[in-house]
C-alpha cells in the first residue's frame, strides 16, 4: 500500500475504529485496582490515540501529499547516478532506480498523483494543452525530483512547431508537494484559463517542490556538505527543461513563483541568480532564511558562516549589495497574516534598477484559498514581465524537443545587479497595482 493511496487511509481508519471499539468493550476489565490495571488502561488509551492520530495523518497526507512515499517519510530519497552528466545527450545508457535513463534529464513518471487532480486539460493537446508527470534529474546535484509540466495548446500546433516558449517555475511550500500546486493552488488550471482568454501569453508552467531531501527543509540553500537545493533549482532544473522542451534560453523568458516557503525561495533565486530568473512572484514569503528544527544547520560553521547567512537575508542584500536587475511581486494580507510589516519593509527597501509590485488584500490567511485568489493577478503580472522568446528551434531539430544548451552559470551569491522602480499600491481586493 502506498503512503498516499486511499487504501492506506481506509485501512488506518478501520484500524482506529477497531481500537476504539475494543477500548470500550474491555474498559471494565481495566477498571479494577492495582498496578497492572493502571498500566493496562494507560497502554490502551495510548495505543488508541496513536492509531487515531496516525489515521488522521494518513488522511491529511493523502489530501495534501506532504510526503509521496514511505521512503520520503523516513528520509530515504531518490538520487541519480553520477554517470548522468550531459543535458540532451541520448547516447549513454544507464538507469535510475530501474528507469532507463540514456542520458535524458527529464524522465516520464507515474500518473498516480496526476490522476487525482481535478480540472486538468482533456481532449486533443493542440486544443486544450497537456500536463505531463515527469522526473527531473540533476546532473550536478544527483537529485531526482518529481514535477508536473503544463504545455499550452500552442506548443502542439503546427504554426508554433519551431517556437520556444516562456517558462514559469512554480514552487510548493514546505513540506508541500507538486500535488498541492496542481490540485490546491491550481497552477495549470489558472494559467490555462488566462491563456485561453488572452490575458496571458502561451507559457510553459513547471510545478516542482524545493524539498529535495525530505523530510528536511533546506529553504533553497546549498547546505555545506549537504543538499544543494539552490544549485538544483538555478542550474540543474533549467538545463533539464531546456534539454527536453522548447523553452526560451534567455533569462528574460524565465520566471519563478511560489507560496509560503516556496515564495521565499522564488525571491531568493531571483535576487541571487538574476541571470537565470528575472521575475518572481512570492505569495506570503519570508525575507530571511534561518535555522529551525526542520532545517537543521543550513549554513555550516567556520569563518564563512556569517557571509552565508547574510547572503540569504534579502533585507541585508538590499542594504549592502547592488540591486539586481529583476522584477518581483510580493503578496501579503494586511489582516490575517503576520508577515505584512516585513513585506512593507521589503517594498520600501527595493531600489532601482530592481522593480517591485505588490498584492496586498485587506483580509486573508496563510492558506490556499487566499493564494488561489492571488494567483490570477500574479500570473498576469508575471506575463507582463517575461519576454516571449525570439529564438526558434533549428529546422533540422526534432519536432517537440529543445536544443541541448546548458543554462548560463549562476552568479556569485553575493553578486547582483539590476529596471526602473515600479510604484506599488494596494486595494481591498487582491488585485494588482503597479
Amino acid at each position: 500500500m502506498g503512503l498516499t493511496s486511499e487504501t492506506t487511509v481506509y485501512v488506518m481508519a478501520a484500524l482506529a475504529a477497531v481500537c476504539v471499539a475494543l477500548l470500550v468493550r474491555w474498559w471494565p476489565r481495566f477498571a479494577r485496582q492495582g498496578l497492572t490495571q493502571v498500566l493496562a488502561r494507560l497502554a490502551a488509551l495510548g495505543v488508541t490515540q496513536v492509531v487515531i492520530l496516525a489515521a488522521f495523518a494518513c488522511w491529511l497526507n493523502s489530501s495534501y501529499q506532504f510526503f509521496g512515499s514511505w521512503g520520503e517519510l523516513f528520509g530515504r530519497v531518490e538520487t541519480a547516478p553520477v554517470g548522468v552528466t550531459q543535458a540532451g545527450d541520448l547516447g549513454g545508457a544507464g538507469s535510475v532506480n530501474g528507469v532507463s535513463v540514456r542520458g535524458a534529464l527529464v524522465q516520464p513518471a507515474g500518473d498516480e498523483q496526476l490522476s487525482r487532480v481535478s480540472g486538468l486539460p482533456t481532449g486533443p493537446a493542440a486544443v486544450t494543452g497537456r500536463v505531463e508527470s515527469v522526473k527531473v534529474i540533476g546532473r550536478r546535484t544527483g537529485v531526482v525530483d518529481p514535477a508536473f509540466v503544463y504545455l499550452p495548446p500552442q506548443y502542439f500546433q503546427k504554426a508554433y512547431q519551431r517556437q520556444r516558449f516562456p517558462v514559469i517555475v512554480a514552487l510548493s511550500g514546505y513540506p508541500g508537494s507538486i500535488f498541492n500546486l496542481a490540485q490546491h493552488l491550481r497552477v495549470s488550471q489558472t494559467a490555462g484559463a488566462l491563456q485561453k482568454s488572452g490575458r496571458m501569453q502561451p507559457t510553459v508552467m513547471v510545478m516542482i517542490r524545493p524539498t529535495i531531501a525530505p523530510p528536511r527543509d533546506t529553504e533553497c540553500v546549498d547546505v555545506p556538505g549537504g543538499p544543494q537545493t539552490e544549485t538544483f533549482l538555478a542550474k540543474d532544473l533549467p538545463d533539464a527543461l531546456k534539454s527536453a522542451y522548447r523553452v526560451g534560453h534567455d533569462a528574460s523568458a524565465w520566471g519563478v513563483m511560489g507560496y509560503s516557503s516556496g515564495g521565499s525561495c522564488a525571491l531568493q533565486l531571483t535576487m541571487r541568480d538574476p541571470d537565470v530568473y528575472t521575475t518572481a512572484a512570492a505569495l506570503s514569503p519570508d525575507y530571511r532564511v534561518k535555522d529551525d528544527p526542520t532545517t537543521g544547520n543550513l549554513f555550516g560553521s567556520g569563518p564563512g558562516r556569517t557571509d552565508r547567512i547574510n547572503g540569504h537575508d534579502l533585507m541585508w542584500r538590499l542594504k549592502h549589495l547592488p540591486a539586481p536587475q529583476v522584477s518581483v511581486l510580493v503578496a501579503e494580507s494586511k489582516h490575517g497574516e503576520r508577515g505584512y510589516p516585513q513585506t512593507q519593509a521589503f517594498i520600501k527597501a527595493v531600489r532601482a534598477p530592481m522593480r517591485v509590485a505588490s498584492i496586498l488584500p485587506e483580509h486573508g490567511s496563510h492558506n490556499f484559498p487566499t493564494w488561489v485568489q492571488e494567483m490570477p493577478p500574479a500570473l498576469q503580472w508575471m506575463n507582463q514581465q517575461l519576454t516571449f522568446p525570439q529564438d526558434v528551434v533549428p529546422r533540422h531539430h526534432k519536432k517537440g524537443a529543445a536544443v541541448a544548451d546548458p543554462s548560463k552559470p549562476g552568479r556569485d551569491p553575493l553578486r547582483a545587479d539590476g529596471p526602473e522602480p515600479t510604484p506599488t499600491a494596494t486595494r481591498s481586493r487582491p488585485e494588482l497595482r503597479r
Side-chain angles (χ1 to χ4, degrees):
M1 294 185 297
L3 178 60
T4 61
S5 70
E6 292 184 355
T7 302
T8 301
V9 176
Y10 293 146
V11 168
M12 291 303 300
L15 186 59
V18 169
C19 286
V20 171
L22 291 176
L23 178 65
V24 171
R25 180 174 180 178
W26 290 345
W27 189 256
R29 300 183 183 182
F30 303 147
R32 302 169 187 171
Q33 298 296 324
L35 179 61
T36 301
Q37 286 72 20
V38 171
L39 293 177
R41 289 196 294 270
L42 291 175
L45 288 172
V47 169
T48 302
Q49 290 181 352
V50 167
V51 173
I52 291 173
L53 288 174
F56 176 76
C58 284
W59 169 80
L60 193 65
N61 186 70
S62 179
S63 298
Y64 290 93
Q65 303 280 308
F66 297 123
F67 299 98
S69 66
W70 295 105
E72 285 187 9
L73 180 63
F74 294 107
R76 298 192 301 271
V77 296
E78 214 175 338
T79 57
V82 176
V84 180
T85 56
Q86 295 299 322
D89 177 12
L90 302 180
S95 66
V96 180
N97 292 297
V99 178
S100 177
V101 174
R102 297 189 176 277
L105 300 180
V106 176
Q107 294 285 325
D111 289 338
E112 178 184 347
Q113 292 191 72
L114 195 60
S115 64
R116 301 177 58 197
V117 178
S118 61
L120 294 181
T122 57
V127 177
T128 63
R130 185 171 72 198
V131 178
E132 299 182 342
S133 177
V134 301
K135 291 181 180 180
V136 178
I137 301 172
R139 66 186 183 93
R140 298 174 181 83
T141 59
V143 169
V144 178
D145 209 21
F148 293 151
V149 179
Y150 166 76
L151 302 170
Q154 291 83 353
Y155 192 90
F156 304 97
Q157 296 171 5
K158 186 175 182 179
Y160 291 84
Q161 64 183 353
R162 295 179 57 228
Q163 178 64 57
R164 301 189 194 276
F165 291 82
V167 57
I168 294 177
V169 175
L171 303 175
S172 64
Y174 174 82
S177 70
I178 55 176
F179 179 83
N180 288 350
L181 291 165
Q183 174 66 16
H184 300 295
L185 194 61
R186 308 194 70 75
V187 170
S188 58
Q189 298 89 324
T190 305
L194 290 173
Q195 293 176 32
K196 184 177 180 180
S197 65
R199 290 177 289 169
M200 183 178 177
Q201 62 189 344
T203 302
V204 173
M205 306 294 298
V206 180
M207 293 158 271
I208 197 164
R209 60 180 188 179
T211 308
I212 65 171
R216 187 177 186 180
D217 178 14
T218 59
E219 292 286 329
C220 294
V221 172
D222 279 348
V223 181
Q228 304 293 289
T229 312
E230 182 176 8
T231 295
F232 175 74
L233 293 173
K235 296 181 180 180
D236 284 348
L237 178 61
D239 279 6
L241 295 174
K242 291 172 184 177
S243 74
Y245 297 102
R246 301 195 318 273
V247 294
H249 285 194
D250 189 82
S252 64
W254 283 72
V256 58
M257 69 177 303
Y259 65 89
S260 191
S261 62
S264 307
C265 287
L267 291 178
Q268 293 276 342
L269 289 168
T270 303
M271 293 182 65
R272 290 173 57 84
D273 302 279
D275 54 351
V276 179
Y277 300 102
T278 57
T279 302
L283 313 181
S284 306
D286 290 321
Y287 302 94
R288 177 189 176 195
V289 175
K290 54 186 178 181
D291 293 342
D292 64 34
T294 66
T295 66
N297 184 356
L298 292 175
F299 303 105
S301 57
R305 174 177 169 84
T306 299
D307 287 341
R308 289 191 287 270
I309 292 175
N310 289 338
H312 288 276
D313 184 337
L314 301 186
M315 298 300 292
W316 185 93
R317 296 183 70 90
L318 289 172
K319 182 177 180 180
H320 295 92
L321 299 177
Q325 189 170 331
V326 296
S327 300
V328 301
L329 177 145
V330 290
E332 193 86 27
S333 302
K334 295 180 181 178
H335 305 286
E337 294 191 83
R338 62 183 181 181
Y340 182 74
Q342 291 76 21
T343 295
Q344 285 288 70
F346 176 82
I347 292 171
K348 293 177 181 178
V350 170
R351 63 189 185 280
M354 185 175 172
R355 298 189 296 178
V356 63
S358 62
I359 300 174
L360 304 173
E362 285 291 335
H363 299 280
S365 299
H366 198 83
N367 58 24
F368 284 108
T370 297
W371 299 325
V372 167
Q373 195 178 12
E374 295 166 346
M375 274 289 289
L379 285 176
Q380 286 181 269
W381 175 86
M382 294 189 77
N383 169 74
Q384 296 168 5
Q385 315 308 312
L386 297 177
T387 302
F388 202 91
Q390 298 302 307
D391 56 331
V392 296
V393 177
R395 291 186 182 276
H396 67 273
H397 191 67
K398 183 180 178 180
K399 180 180 179 181
V403 177
D405 179 22
S407 61
K408 301 175 183 178
R411 298 193 179 189
D412 187 296
L414 294 181
R415 180 164 58 89
D417 42 347
E420 292 295 316
T422 299
T424 61
T426 64
R427 293 184 181 180
S428 59
R429 297 173 59 191
E431 298 175 308
L432 177 68
R433 283 187 179 178
R434 297 185 54 208

